[in-house]
Amino acid sequence: MSGAVKASLSRRLRSGIRALPILTALVTMVACGSESGPSAGKAGAGDAGRSAVRIVMVTHGQTSDPFWSVVANGVADAGRELGVRVEYQAPSSFDMVRMSQLIDAAVASRPSALAVSIPDPSATARSIKAAIAAGIPALSLNAGDEAWERLGLLGHIGQTEYEAGRAAGERLAVHGAKRVLCVNHEVGNTSLDTRCRGLRDGLAKRGAAMLVLGINLADPEDATQRIKNALGRDAAVDGMLTLGPGGAAPALTALRESGHLGRIAIGTFDLTPEVLAAVRDGRLLFAIDQQPYLQGYLAVVLLTKYLETKAIPGGGQLIRTGPSFVTRETAADVIALAKRGIR
Amino acid sequence: MKLLVRPEASAAAGALLIWLLFAAIAGPPFRSLEGAAAALNAAAPLGILAVAVALLMIAGEFDLSVGSIIGAAGMSVMLLTRHFDWSLWPAIALTVLLCAAIGFGNGYLVVRTGLPSFIVTLGSLFVFRGLTIAVSRQLTQRTQLGGLDEVAGYRAAQTLLGGDLVGPFQVSILWWIGLAALATWVLLRTRFGNWIFATGGAPEAARKLGVPVARVKIVLFILTALAACLVAVIQAVRFAGADALRGEQQEFRAIIAVVIGGTLLTGGYGSAVGAVLGALIFGTVQQGIVITGVDADWFQVFLGSLLVAAVLVNNFVRSRVAGTR
């Protein structure tokens, strides 16, 4: 239907085709026991002739989170436009053990360059340092604005989470909210903790308070219940900030089902077509845009250019892709782009 | 012929072939030290679990609670150290006791009620996952705790449990090999090992011959819980923290590794070496796919196919075994 969806499809297809010979060989080999020889060794040798540059990205993005498809679309587009090979890897759930294993495997595969997100520096620092020790140019994106420099990365592409949270807090407070829930869908992601901290400080300027509520993205029904229960427990809550679209959808459902819609000011981090429609219709006050497409796209561009020229913007610094705010006035324009998976 | 009837024969061939396959497709990176380490490091925690689960499965029982015990034990260490300000070693000691108690509880319930262990431990899988999340949320408002590296005793724990052995190889590999060797010795050279085979193979006959079937099962349930505990502590130390969801699905992965390793689901037949090879195949495929440059998403497809293929081979082997005896 759209270019971005096609790009993502063809990416999956390509890697599926690469996976196929291994799969069939594996199954036949195990099924036949020791009889079949190592003749399958020639499979998968079809990558020769492509550009030698190979960039691997490892993120923490949960499979069920639409946000990361947009990042992956940026990666795929940049790879195609530049003619470099890109690979995107992420654990299926928020799993730091698996994520560090993915980084280890990526490092062992000796890519030309590496891009990672750093949601929990203490869990993945060792794997990231191993990449740098192996001489692989690496930068971080999305999460890690407080850790990238300490780990010796080339730079970081993303938004400053604290400032984004604080700006959201100021907006909610100006709108009159006095008691605001910070709805966290990835408890353990320090970037999200930072957003809640920013929210608290933004609210505090006008004497408003913040409470954290943890939810589980894998089960939207449970997430909705949790938000409803929190509203039922504390009648004074009059504002809410969800830290991603995965949290925004159950939050809106919870508000509708409990009859709070319109009485509680609610904003969210990050965009989806559904979030934007809610902003356009006034059910959401605002959506904070960190421009994930650019995070994926720029990571590939900057690393490719670094490999060619050893140059990096600012000589290595935080490259901001956000925060910017999408409000009722601007939402309609962005919806078409979000539907194509590029905003 | 003698070699073929060993439970792990097909798994050994499978491990070798899969290694050769990835070595050919992924090329030098996979054959490098880092490549080997990436696979072994991923296989080690699962291998520790699988060795204990293999013993239990040979005795004819399942333990589906190991995954949630990993979560519970990890959070127990973190809560004791970070919330109650214990130093690390006492926290580990109490956590080990806690795990042993959970294992005993599982075993006792299975033996006393006569319910299938599949059901009993499926229950405890949810009970302990839920308890872990609820208790940590109650105490700290969080389900993830970090900062274990600031706790007294961390340095020693790091060396013994969570650190690197040589180069990129983690010390957990040593635990894995050590436990597998111990389990193999117990299975093949001790009376308790005979009891395990008898308990799974012919429980009624074993009971009549004076094998303490109930005691054997309870001990093995305690062992699987302790193996989960060790994995939890290793990962908490390695990653300087834990979260309540850690270990999710490890119960199935451990069973898959054990089955790929040639142990029969019906009990009475299997080996610890097979479980080691099963975990090795697991780690090799899991990391090899990424090194090859294929999306990690495909791993589950391989895994499921591998499982069914392994059971087919096992059934074939079983009929051969029946034939040779």
Side-chain angles (χ1 to χ4, degrees), chain A residues 194-206:
Chain A
T194 309
R195 290 179 184 175
C196 290
R197 200 151 41 81
L199 173 67
R200 185 194 60 204
D201 294 352
L203 290 167
K205 277 194 200 162
R206 287 175 178 261

Side-chain angles (χ1 to χ4, degrees), chain A residues 6-49:
Chain A
K6 252 190 245 157
S8 143
L9 257 178
S10 76
R11 185 178 70 84
R12 305 228 154 231
L13 219 58
R14 270 205 308 280
S15 94
I17 288 163
R18 253 182 284 146
L20 217 55
I22 312 182
L23 177 63
T24 43
L26 267 182
V27 172
T28 46
M29 281 171 137
V30 174
C32 305
S34 53
E35 265 81 348
S36 64
S39 58
K42 289 192 196 87
D47 283 328

Side-chain angles (χ1 to χ4, degrees), chain B residues 203-231:
Chain B
E204 276 317 307
R207 208 169 275 130
K208 282 181 185 137
L209 285 170
V211 174
V213 170
R215 188 143 55 92
V216 168
K217 286 186 177 176
I218 291 178
V219 167
L220 291 176
F221 272 109
I222 294 176
L223 282 183
T224 53
L226 288 177
C229 197
L230 178 61
V231 171

Side-chain angles (χ1 to χ4, degrees), chain A residues 43-95:
Chain A
D47 283 328
R50 297 269 307 271
S51 174
V53 173
R54 179 172 153 268
I55 294 171
V56 180
M57 179 177 289
V58 182
T59 78
H60 65 280
Q62 305 179 52
T63 311
S64 55
D65 193 341
F67 179 92
W68 289 97
S69 304
V70 182
V71 176
N73 287 339
V75 173
D77 285 358
R80 203 181 40 247
E81 285 168 24
L82 295 167
V84 299
R85 183 170 159 192
V86 291
E87 286 159 24
Y88 175 87
Q89 305 281 4
S92 54
S93 59
F94 189 75
D95 180 348

